[in-house]
Amino acid sequence: MPVDPLFESHESLVDRKKKLSYTKILSHLFENGSDSIAKLAKQIHTSVPSVTAMLEELKQNQWVLEKGASKTKSGRRPVNYGINGAKKVALVLDVNLYQTNFIFINLQNEFITKTTYDINLEEPGYMKDVMKEIDQLIKFNGKPWAIGISAPGLIEVATGINFTHKGLNKDNKSLSVVLEEKYDINVFNINDTRASLLGEHHYGLAKDKKNVLLVNLDWGVGLGILHNGQIVEGSSGFAGELGHVQVYPDGELCACGKIGCLETVASASTILRKVKEGLAEGKATSLSENSEELILEDIISAALNGDEFSIDVIYEVGRELGKGLAMAVHLFNPEAIIIDGILKNAGDLIISTIKQSINKYCLVPFKQQLEVMISPLGDDAKVFGTKTFIFKKMMETYAN
């Protein structure tokens, strides 16, 4: 096999430009699925013979495959080329508050292996346990192409430091930097809500849309913003912290240290807290049979099975969330809102309430064409989005 054009050492300006052209081809094919030589030449502003030669080299190194011929009305049908999904396998760390998933995934979204490690993100030994698990997985799966870490919280783009969950940092270094130093591999951080939106934008409900909000209803409330086809990060990477907008100045203390944040009245944590308070007050509910080891899934299940108390709690959270989302709708004028996170499992119970609240608090022109929906991708959106983020960052690495 000839030397891979993306790894070959390039000293001259001509060679560096050529390498940039390879990454442009791969990036275009990754974004669009497949395309012909003529269209690729137009996209990257290069001649057809040059693109033909580059595709042949990429094909020999198994980066691309022939994907069949285009449909034409007459004449010779041009051959389409696409990414070889089996070429690279990445490792995605899907970090949640109470568990972390380790997923080896290839470029065509096929899971090679998936393991789940139950551990509280705030536990002192979190980072050590993560590396121990990665050690075992690499022994079994081999060294991945790169690692992507999807995690909740305020993640600074420049450093990868997580300002919310300090267990993801060590000695002023982010988990990504620590893993890079240990495994000599490229590691990238992305906020979990932004990862989910990236997955939806490439493979889900936001694929053919330009202005979308994705709400991550988990133990907190995150907001992913797709504006004019671009995902909004903000100057430091903190854009979209809807959960920390103050909605009740005289409200409860939030985990962030502020008073009356949206998260205090509209999150999975809120539901669990309100149900436990209701049980302590002797509220009539089927949940009282299992009150000592109550988890969120029990509450959602009880609500879906008609438990009135559970339905009321979820309704109240959905109402408050809808009020918060009405502000975001007025700011960004989206065409769709996608509901993600653990509370999406409540289905229409949460969706219908959010819709009612948005309908009440939004101006008419903003809500006339607005869709509110749950994606069929579910938790996979975040994994697919993190893999997409890895691909984009690796192309940038090769180009530079």
Side-chain angles (χ1 to χ4, degrees):
M1 181 180 295
V3 176
D4 193 315
L6 293 182
F7 295 98
E8 186 179 2
S9 176
H10 296 288
E11 298 296 334
S12 71
L13 179 61
V14 173
D15 285 338
R16 286 197 294 272
K17 286 184 176 180
K18 188 177 178 183
K19 190 174 183 180
L20 181 60
S21 295
Y22 285 117
T23 60
K24 285 181 177 179
I25 289 173
L26 292 174
S27 296
H28 177 80
L29 293 178
F30 184 82
E31 293 282 345
N32 296 276
S34 63
D35 222 334
S36 66
I37 292 174
K39 289 182 179 179
L40 279 168
K42 187 176 180 180
Q43 283 292 327
I44 68 171
H45 308 292
T46 307
S47 68
V48 168
S50 294
V51 171
T52 302
M54 285 188 282
L55 278 173
E56 183 59 33
E57 196 168 356
L58 288 170
K59 182 178 167 185
Q60 289 177 8
N61 283 279
Q62 301 177 358
W63 276 103
V64 300
L65 298 171
E66 292 185 9
K67 296 287 186 176
S70 301
K71 293 181 179 179
T72 57
K73 293 182 180 180
S74 61
R76 184 178 178 182
R77 298 167 63 193
V79 174
N80 282 334
Y81 290 84
I83 295 286
N84 175 15
K87 170 66 176 179
K88 295 293 182 181
V89 174
L91 172 58
V92 170
L93 268 61
D94 172 21
V95 178
N96 300 297
L97 194 57
Y98 298 113
Q99 68 176 206
T100 296
N101 298 306
F102 299 81
I103 301 138
F104 276 80
I105 182 173
N106 66 18
L107 298 181
Q108 55 192 16
N109 289 342
E110 292 176 340
F111 285 22
I112 310 303
T113 62
K114 178 180 178 180
T115 57
T116 300
Y117 195 95
D118 291 320
I119 181 173
N120 190 322
L121 180 54
E122 305 301 334
E123 290 289 333
Y126 178 81
M127 192 177 289
K128 182 179 179 181
D129 289 335
V130 164
M131 288 190 284
K132 183 178 179 181
E133 184 68 16
I134 292 175
D135 286 341
Q136 295 302 314
L137 290 170
I138 287 178
K139 286 180 182 178
F140 181 78
N141 293 286
K143 194 172 182 179
W145 180 39
I147 298 175
I149 305 169
S150 162
L154 297 174
I155 301 173
E156 190 174 51
V157 171
T159 64
I161 292 290
N162 194 307
F163 286 88
T164 306
H165 301 288
K166 303 300 176 64
L168 289 172
N169 312 312
K170 181 181 180 182
D171 300 328
N172 293 320
K173 294 179 180 179
S174 67
L175 176 58
S176 60
V177 172
V178 173
L179 295 182
E180 279 187 344
E181 292 176 351
K182 178 176 172 60
Y183 298 106
D184 188 26
I185 192 172
N186 288 294
V187 185
F188 309 104
N189 280 309
I190 184 171
N191 171 268
D192 57 353
T193 304
R194 204 162 291 128
S196 293
L197 180 55
L198 189 56
E200 292 291 350
H201 189 35
H202 276 261
Y203 307 104
L205 294 176
K207 186 174 182 180
D208 297 316
K209 300 182 186 300
K210 289 189 174 182
N211 295 281
V212 175
L213 298 179
L214 182 140
V215 188
N216 187 9
L217 300 183
D218 218 87
W219 301 104
V221 180
L223 183 70
I225 306 161
L226 182 70
H227 179 65
N228 289 335
Q230 299 296 319
I231 293 179
V232 177
E233 288 188 339
S235 62
S236 299
F238 302 153
E241 281 297 322
L242 182 67
H244 295 293
V245 172
Q246 188 184 64
V247 291
Y248 288 102
D250 299 321
E252 298 188 21
L253 179 67
C254 181
C256 73
K258 305 299 182 182
I259 300 293
C261 293
L262 181 62
E263 284 189 6
T264 64
V265 293
S267 65
S269 302
T270 304
I271 290 177
L272 199 57
R273 174 174 53 81
K274 284 184 173 292
V275 167
K276 288 182 177 179
E277 290 172 354
L279 289 171
E281 295 169 4
K283 297 285 187 181
T285 169
S286 62
L287 293 170
S288 58
E289 300 172 3
N290 189 33
S291 59
E292 291 185 5
E293 299 180 357
L294 190 67
I295 59 175
L296 184 68
E297 286 78 1
D298 296 330
I299 301 169
I300 293 175
S301 178
L304 293 174
N305 283 297
D307 183 75
E308 187 174 336
F309 171 64
S310 302
I311 291 172
D312 286 344
V313 172
I314 292 176
Y315 174 85
E316 180 64 20
V317 165
R319 184 178 70 85
E320 294 289 351
L321 182 66
K323 287 169 65 176
L325 280 173
M327 291 187 288
V329 169
H330 285 148
L331 286 171
F332 298 105
N333 188 205
E335 55 197 295
I337 296 175
I338 300 172
I339 305 299
D340 191 26
I342 194 169
L343 287 186
K344 70 179 181 300
N345 296 328
D348 194 54
L349 281 178
I350 195 80
I351 289 290
S352 60
T353 311
I354 290 172
K355 285 180 178 178
Q356 289 173 17
S357 197
I358 289 176
N359 190 53
K360 180 178 180 179
Y361 294 105
C362 274
L363 294 173
V364 172
F366 285 85
K367 62 189 180 185
Q368 286 179 327
Q369 304 297 324
L370 181 64
E371 296 179 274
V372 181
M373 48 196 170
I374 294 175
S375 171
L377 285 180
D379 294 336
D380 287 346
K382 183 166 40 172
V383 179
F384 296 165
T386 306
K387 181 223 69 179
T388 299
F389 185 67
I390 290 170
F391 184 89
K392 290 174 178 288
K393 298 301 287 186
M394 288 301 290
M395 289 300 109
E396 290 176 13
T397 301
Y398 293 153
N400 296 323

